[in-house]
Amino acid sequence: MPGHDQGAPSGDAAVHAAPTQAASAAPATPPPPAYTPSAPATTPTPPSRGRRTPLAIGLVVALAVVAGTAWAMSGDDEKSDAHADAKPSASAPPAAGPSKKAKEEAKQEAKPAKRDYETVFADRPLTIGAPANSLETVDFDAPRVSPQDDIPGHDTELSYMAQWMNFKKATAKSRGTTPQECRQAVDTAPLPAELTRADLMDKNILQKDDVLCTVTSKGNLAMLKITEVSPTGKPFDPPGYSGLLTLWKQPS
């Protein structure tokens, strides 16, 4: 109708429109609670290389103790085995003692060393003559030569007269001039106890450079080196003998 606003609804339309608007004006569904993000999970930081945790240090110490104990036990086992090997078995024969030769050598070493020969005098001049009608006696210990036979018999080593030369003690010709060689000759190759005039004149048993050795009445060792043989020039008189006499004390 003229004069009325065509855009305005009619009364019925307004009545019907009100419920629709009321329905649309109902409260909406409440929104979900706001999301609050939780704190991010923290990843454990591995220990730095320069520091060791107590657990790692404890593990290393435990391993070292175990290894040391095992080494000590193995060493004890080896010692026990070596000790067992060193013990002789019950069935092993007893060890052999020193040989007979070794025992003899030990006895010789245990003996006190013998004293060597001791020189009493050396190269003492001595002349034994050729008495025609008397007896001449000689004492090598003194030394002394007596043409009157006034030397006691127990001190005499040699007596000499025209018919013979007599040795009171074993007498020998030695090849050497050491006391050992001299004594060995006396013990192994003595001359006859008596030399006749034929032995001295025809056979020349005693000559220049001969070495006569004997053990004296006092137990000394005498050595006479003959330096000269002096014939008397008479057909039945044996020669005289000059020499150098040495006397040693023998080892005890």
Side-chain angles (χ1 to χ4, degrees):
M1 177 183 279
H4 294 281
D5 188 3
Q6 293 181 0
S10 60
D12 294 335
V15 172
H16 289 291
T20 304
Q21 293 177 355
S24 59
T29 303
Y35 172 75
T36 303
S38 60
T42 303
T43 304
T45 303
S48 63
R49 294 183 180 179
R51 298 176 59 188
R52 296 178 182 269
T53 63
L55 179 60
I57 294 175
L59 181 59
V60 171
V61 172
L63 290 176
V65 171
V66 172
T69 303
W71 179 83
M73 293 179 64
S74 65
D76 291 340
D77 293 340
E78 291 178 359
K79 291 181 180 178
S80 299
D81 295 341
H83 185 67
D85 293 340
K87 291 183 179 179
S89 61
S91 59
S99 63
K100 184 176 180 181
K101 182 178 179 181
K103 290 181 179 179
E104 292 296 329
E105 291 177 352
K107 287 182 180 179
Q108 293 296 329
E109 292 179 357
K111 290 181 180 179
K114 289 184 176 181
R115 293 189 302 109
D116 202 356
Y117 286 90
E118 181 181 348
T119 303
V120 178
F121 54 79
D123 295 337
R124 186 77 61 86
L126 186 76
T127 298
I128 302 172
N133 298 312
S134 63
L135 181 65
E136 188 170 86
T137 53
V138 180
D139 179 8
F140 288 146
D141 287 309
R144 180 186 175 193
V145 177
S146 174
Q148 287 82 28
D149 187 21
D150 59 356
I151 298 176
H154 58 268
D155 290 334
T156 300
E157 281 79 47
L158 184 150
S159 58
Y160 188 31
M161 63 183 306
Q163 289 79 19
W164 45 258
M165 180 180 288
N166 183 264
F167 300 113
K168 301 293 183 178
K169 301 290 182 178
T171 304
K173 289 200 291 186
S174 175
R175 294 183 178 181
T177 58
T178 66
Q180 293 80 9
E181 291 170 321
C182 196
R183 179 57 195 261
Q184 183 179 14
V186 173
D187 293 339
T188 60
L191 294 169
E194 182 177 293
L195 298 178
T196 64
R197 181 166 53 189
D199 292 332
L200 298 174
M201 296 182 67
D202 300 335
K203 297 180 181 180
N204 296 318
I205 289 181
L206 300 182
Q207 301 179 24
K208 182 180 177 180
D209 296 328
D210 281 349
V211 178
L212 294 180
C213 296
T214 188
V215 176
T216 69
S217 58
K218 291 182 171 60
N220 297 318
L221 182 63
M223 179 181 69
L224 178 65
K225 294 184 289 185
I226 298 176
T227 57
E228 185 178 357
V229 177
S230 305
T232 61
K234 297 179 181 180
F236 300 103
D237 291 344
Y241 302 92
S242 297
L244 299 173
L245 181 67
T246 297
L247 190 72
W248 293 286
K249 284 186 178 181
Q250 298 192 92
S252 58

